[in-house]
Structure formats: structure tokens, C-alpha cells
Amino acid sequence: MTKINKIGVFTSGGDAPGMNACIRAVVRTAIFSGVEVSGIRRGYQGMLESDFWTMNARSVGNIIHLGGTILKTARCLEFMTDEGIEKAYRNLKSEGIDALVAIGGDGTAKGALRLSERFDIPIMCIPGTIDNDLYGSDFTIGYDTATNTVIEAIDKIRDTAASHNRMFFVEVMGRDSGCIALRAGISGGAEAVLLPEVETGIDELISKLSIDAKNKKTSSIVIVAEGDKSGGAYQLAQRVTEKFDYYDVKVTILGHLQRGGSPSSFDRVLASRLGYAAVNELLRGNSGQMVGLRGNTVALTPLSEALNASKFKLEEDLMEMVSVLSI
Ligand code: F6P
């Protein structure tokens, strides 16, 4: 087992609230263990440009409560080429980095897997994305905060919907995952939730809304995951309005505000636990794994398995519960 003298840490892909808490935990755990830390700015792009920052315990002071990432992030296609990955590895070696902690989503884990397969460099990945779409962790860093942001918006929309007897289609992020939509739909008391994982026909939605109308529901909120197959909130609202005119229909697209904000306590603790564990696992000689939280216990999942989308399942019982609790 090669001795680790310097760990490189970076954030990659879409930023997520809690990434700074995670960077803080990685830096301080490494330094506590006598290991130097080099922050790599802008993810894999910064690796290609040798954009390194020698970090110490003070570098991560007063950031635990900040959204975004002090290391910045980027999406980098060049890294996925043979020339790109070889250049990145050379730059890491020149900087004296002999292990890596990657904080990000599935794209980050894909890059980390390629790097660890091509070169002899220990890597641990930490699930940092609001999408909550990585197998091997019950929660990804940022998911809880993003969902809280969504329900704060839904609660505000509900005030005006109830005042005007209106129906709102609210579109949320999540890429191909319905996790944000499902959790926000339940906690926001939505009448319906449309998910990429479930085919919802327009007629099925209208029959549900018609029952609501018969039951004298004067307002309605429908959460639409951006990856839903119906084509998004505007197209859905148009199709419903053509067949069902009981409500005055409006649309709200929440967009990138779901990515910002001060991380929740849950995300700060999750980020701290996973950052702390990732460094300790590297020092124990582990590599090529994603550190996650499973049943409130830190667990390791091989990167190839974490990236296997077919293993990721949305909770069936929660989907059934939405239709029951929205009668
Ligand atoms: O992966 C996080 C995420 O916010 C997705 O939910 C969303 O589809 C995507 O990033 C948006 O990407 P960008 O910030 O590049 O527009």
C-alpha cells in the first residue's frame, strides 16, 4: 500500500448545497491525519489546467453554512478523452497528489472510475448532487436542501392558488430522477406528482383532477419532474387545459434556485460524515469506491455498481401514498 502524502479534492458536475461542508471535512480530516491537501478548482477542467490550491485548516473556515462550492465546478468533456485523462494524471503527479477525493454526481463518478482503471491512483467518490440518483447512498449531498427549497416555493404558490381557485404545474429539477419531485410532492401536499420513472397518461391525470373537482377542491398543485416523459410543465398544462377547464391553469418552473441556498443541518452532517469517511478509507488503503449513507450507516459501494442506474429504485410505497393522501 503506497503511503499517501497529499490528497487532491475537487467538486464536479452540478453544484449542490453541502459541498462546502464536505470539502471542509475532507481538508480537516486529512490535515488531522498528517496528510497535505491540494484543492483542484473547477473539477476535471482544473485538473487539466493544473489549477491547484494548497489548502490548510483555515482555508475551509466559515464555509460550512455556504451553498455552492469554494473549489468551483465545471463539466469537462476533454477529460473523457484518452489524451485528456493522461494529461490530467501527469498534472496530478507533478503536483505530488497521490490520492483523490471526488465530490459530485454520476458524471464525476464516471470520470473517477476511468481514472482509477487507467492509472494507479487511489480514489474515493462522495455523492454530491441534488438529484439523489446514485445507487449506494440513501441520500446524496444537496438533495435535502433542494427539496426544502422546493417546498418553500410550493407553500407560497399554494397561498395564491387557494386565493384564486387556480391550478399550478410546478416543474422541478432532478435530471432523469424523480426523487426531488416525489419528496417535494409529499411534503408539499401536491394533488399529483409526475415522475420519469412512471408513465402517467394525460387522461389518468385528468380523471384524478375531475374527482378533485367533484370533491369541491378549489385549487390544485401538480409537481412535474423535469425528466418526466410528458414533455415538461408547459406542455402538460397545455394538454390538460385543452381537455379540462375547471381550473385557471398556471405554470412555475423553479429552475436553478433549487441548486443554491445554505445547506440544511441534514446535508451538513451528511457531508461531514462522508468527507471524513472518504479520507479515512483512503488512508486504510481503499479505492474505487463511493462512500454513502445506507440506513444511517456509512457504507462503501464499488463505483461500477454505484453507476448502475438499474439498481436505483424510487420508493413504490411513497408513490402510492401520494394518490391516497391527496384525495
Ligand atoms: O444534476 C444537477 C442538475 O441540477 C439537474 O437536476 C439539472 O437537470 C442539471 O443539473 C442542470 O444542469 P446545468 O446546471 O448545467 O444547467
Side-chain angles (χ1 to χ4, degrees), residues 220-273:
S220 178
I221 291 177
V222 175
I223 309 295
V224 185
E226 63 179 344
D228 175 66
K229 305 292 182 294
S230 59
Y234 278 111
Q235 192 167 340
L236 198 62
Q238 175 65 36
R239 291 168 65 196
V240 166
T241 310
E242 284 161 4
K243 296 188 168 189
F244 179 70
D245 61 1
Y246 177 80
Y247 294 112
D248 176 13
V249 175
K250 299 290 178 185
V251 174
T252 299
I253 310 284
L254 293 182
H256 283 71
L257 65 84
Q258 298 164 87
R259 289 258 286 275
S262 179
S264 63
S265 165
F266 181 87
D267 272 333
R268 296 184 199 189
V269 173
L270 176 66
S272 300
R273 287 182 80 174

Side-chain angles (χ1 to χ4, degrees), residues 14 75 129-131 173-175 226 256 259:
R75 292 192 164 95
T129 171
I130 66 168
D131 297 346
M173 281 186 161
R175 200 185 295 280
E226 63 179 344
H256 283 71
R259 289 258 286 275

Side-chain angles (χ1 to χ4, degrees), residues 19-52:
M19 279 187 165
N20 281 325
C22 193
I23 294 164
R24 173 179 175 272
V26 169
V27 171
R28 290 189 174 176
T29 306
I31 286 168
F32 179 85
S33 312
V35 174
E36 292 176 66
V37 180
S38 180
I40 305 167
R41 294 188 184 89
R42 296 174 296 120
Y44 295 114
Q45 190 63 45
M47 219 181 273
L48 287 171
E49 297 169 8
S50 293
D51 193 354
F52 301 126

